[in-house]
Amino acid sequence: MDEFDLIDTMVEILGDVATGTEVVVGPGDDAAVLEVPTDHQLVVSTDTLVAGRHFPANGQADVIGYRGMAVATSDLAAMGATPAYATVALTIESLPEHWARPYAAGIAWAARDFRLAVVGGNVARGPCSITVTVHGHVPAGQAITRAGAQPGDRVYVTGSLGGASLALAEPGLESCGLRDLNDETALRRYWMPAPRLAFAQALRGIANAAIDISDGLSSDLAHLCQASGVACRVDLAQLPLFAGCEALAAATSGDDYELAFTAPAATSERIASLARQSGVAVQDIGTVSTGQSGRIEWLHDGAPVVVPRGYRHF
């Protein structure tokens, strides 16, 4: 299968997820032509996943496709954006049809889950990697950034932490496909992250700052504090843990794609109500404070502890 066959195959498999009311020109032309809703701003993010570093090189093609889409879409959730479009670039040494078809099916599955129109992309020969660019939109001036946290804000995280890291030791990591991932297992957490899109959109106007937890809470929360010019205090004993994961590992492990966000203490009841309505667990884990920008004071039941930073790309 050459790149043109793959494009035709992907367009066939994507079907309705290659079109949409805001897609003027979709896959097959030199570029996509898209509409942005009136009085909205465009939100764009790109993620690259490299085989052997960000996913097992021998993983099943459908979960690789799904994971690539989910990882990128989580950035839209962090901004409170509504997903709209995606482009997908694949670099790979060879392209057998028995790999290309499930790969395209995994992308289509994720696109339907996240309500994204896949409007184009690229294929090139080389070491295997996947690059996904996602586009979303927010009402003008309502994007949630990393830079708005205020002293006195409460610090929250969604879902549970540490599940994806447990999957790395699971014997079935490379052999499972999407249809094997029906239960809330560590393997599902790794291959099928669930961007908190609806909940994050409801946080617009409530949360002061947010970030998705991709490289570990200890790293990503520090990025948020750095961008906001604040410090914070976090109690490890309050972290919501995936079954079988210890608190220190949960604080430093990546790939969960949950949200960390801050909001005024007075909004706690509203946040609890939104969590119930959306079916997303939300846990208060600490407080934003003044102090050295980006510094996190880690405690465990009131006692100071040392927590290392999470994943680093270089």
Side-chain angles (χ1 to χ4, degrees):
M1 177 177 285
D2 64 23
E3 67 270 29
F4 301 108
D5 293 327
L6 176 62
I7 292 169
D8 290 342
T9 297
M10 288 193 66
V11 171
E12 171 199 339
I13 292 173
L14 291 171
D16 61 318
V17 299
T19 62
T21 57
E22 298 167 358
V23 180
V24 180
V25 177
D29 217 308
D30 287 315
V33 181
L34 310 168
E35 298 278 4
V36 178
T38 303
D39 298 324
H40 281 62
Q41 293 171 315
L42 192 64
V43 180
V44 182
S45 182
T46 298
D47 267 291
T48 296
L49 301 183
V50 178
R53 181 169 296 274
H54 302 112
F55 62 89
N58 294 325
Q60 300 302 299
D62 58 349
V63 291
I64 291 172
Y66 192 104
R67 177 171 160 78
M69 293 286 286
V71 166
T73 304
S74 184
D75 287 328
L76 295 183
M79 305 293 287
T82 300
Y85 334 105
T87 58
V88 183
L90 170 67
T91 302
I92 196 165
E93 294 287 5
S94 63
L95 202 56
E97 186 169 359
H98 67 80
W99 192 93
R101 282 191 167 274
Y103 168 73
I107 290 173
W109 190 322
R112 292 188 178 94
D113 279 355
F114 309 142
R115 299 186 179 181
L116 283 163
V118 180
V119 296
N122 187 62
V123 183
R125 175 172 288 180
C128 183
S129 68
I130 297 164
T131 298
V132 178
T133 299
V134 288
H135 307 69
H137 47 74
V138 294
Q142 292 190 31
I144 306 170
T145 73
R146 303 177 180 184
Q150 300 294 317
D153 279 2
R154 303 303 300 172
V155 180
Y156 298 89
V157 294
T158 62
S160 62
L161 304 179
S165 66
L166 294 178
L168 298 177
E170 293 268 348
L173 183 63
E174 296 184 357
S175 61
C176 65
L178 287 175
R179 299 194 183 279
D180 302 317
L181 302 174
N182 296 319
D183 300 319
E184 186 58 17
T185 61
L187 289 173
R188 183 180 178 93
R189 291 278 294 182
Y190 180 84
W191 285 119
M192 299 182 74
R196 303 304 187 180
L197 293 162
F199 177 74
Q201 290 162 38
L203 285 178
R204 295 192 297 237
I206 299 174
N208 283 332
I211 190 169
D212 81 322
I213 304 171
S214 56
D215 296 330
L217 178 66
S218 60
S219 285
D220 292 319
L221 187 56
H223 296 324
L224 183 152
C225 288
Q226 182 75 40
S228 295
V230 296
C232 74
R233 181 181 297 110
V234 175
D235 190 340
L236 278 179
Q238 297 303 310
L239 296 190
L241 306 179
F242 189 88
C245 189
E246 297 181 353
L248 187 60
T252 57
S253 60
D255 287 325
D256 282 311
Y257 299 99
E258 296 289 354
L259 298 180
F261 66 96
T262 79
T267 64
S268 61
E269 289 298 325
R270 291 181 66 188
I271 290 170
S273 177
L274 291 174
R276 288 191 296 270
Q277 292 170 25
S278 63
V280 174
V282 177
Q283 178 68 37
D284 183 335
I285 63 168
T287 309
V288 177
S289 58
T290 58
Q292 180 183 344
S293 177
R295 180 177 181 272
I296 303 176
E297 180 185 358
W298 292 95
L299 306 171
H300 194 283
D301 288 331
V305 293
V306 175
V307 175
R309 289 291 181 95
Y311 180 79
R312 298 190 181 210
H313 294 269
F314 293 96

